[in-house]
């Protein structure tokens, strides 16, 4: 069974940082595009970032570029999202996900290009 379990969310003040983690299992890490999307209250899914270990590619939504960094640890099958300089508009449930590819269209597609995702973790940024 494919499992993706996100953790690390919480309540922070604007300008602070958080690091989200995602423990992945049940699939070959290197074969998939790995990413994060988020969903704010009352809104649809929004792509945040993705990476593909096999070619080292990473992509970010314009809204988080320069503030968020995606990374992965093959030894532990873990995906991370380092979020710096958080803004109130970053408030959302964040989901880690896996799919066949990573690219601009994957990030722009929200959750539509992912095959698997787990329960999300809530990030709340107060002003």
């Amino acid at each position: 069974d494919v499992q993706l379990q996100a953790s690390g969310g919480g309540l922070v003040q604007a300008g602070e940082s958080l690091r989200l983690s995602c423990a992945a299992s049940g699939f070959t890490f290197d074969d998939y595009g790995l990413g994060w999307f988020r969903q704010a209250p009352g809104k649809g899914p929004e792509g945040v970032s993705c990476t593909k270990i096999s070619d080292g590619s990473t992509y970010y939504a314009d809204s988080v570029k320069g503030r968020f960094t995606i990374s992965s640890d093959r030894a532990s099958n873990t995906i991370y999202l380092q979020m710096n300089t958080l803004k109130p508009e970053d408030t959302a449930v964040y989901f880690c996900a896996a799919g066949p590819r990573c690219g601009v269209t994957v990030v722009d597609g929200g959750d539509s290009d992912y095959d698997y995702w787990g329960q999300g973790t809530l990030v709340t940024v107060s002003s």
Side-chain angles (χ1 to χ4, degrees), residues 7-112:
S7 61
L11 172 63
V12 297
Q13 301 272 353
E16 293 183 341
S17 299
L18 274 177
R19 189 174 83 153
L20 305 183
S21 300
C22 175
S25 63
F27 63 98
T28 304
F29 214 50
D30 288 13
D31 290 345
Y32 281 79
L34 308 168
W36 295 87
F37 65 91
R38 65 189 181 185
Q39 189 160 15
K43 295 188 177 181
E46 177 191 15
V48 174
S49 179
C50 69
T51 185
K52 190 151 191 184
I53 295 174
S54 60
D55 62 15
S57 59
T58 57
Y59 295 87
Y60 297 92
D62 287 344
S63 58
V64 307
K65 205 170 290 182
R67 300 187 298 121
F68 290 12
T69 303
I70 191 170
S71 61
S72 59
D73 180 353
R74 296 164 77 181
S76 62
N77 274 18
T78 304
I79 312 161
Y80 300 100
L81 186 69
Q82 177 66 43
M83 306 187 296
N84 297 332
T85 320
L86 282 160
K87 304 176 180 180
E89 51 264 43
D90 295 319
T91 294
V93 178
Y94 283 71
F95 299 85
C96 59
R101 56 192 168 274
C102 167
V104 173
T105 57
V106 173
V107 174
D108 288 348
D111 65 349
S112 62

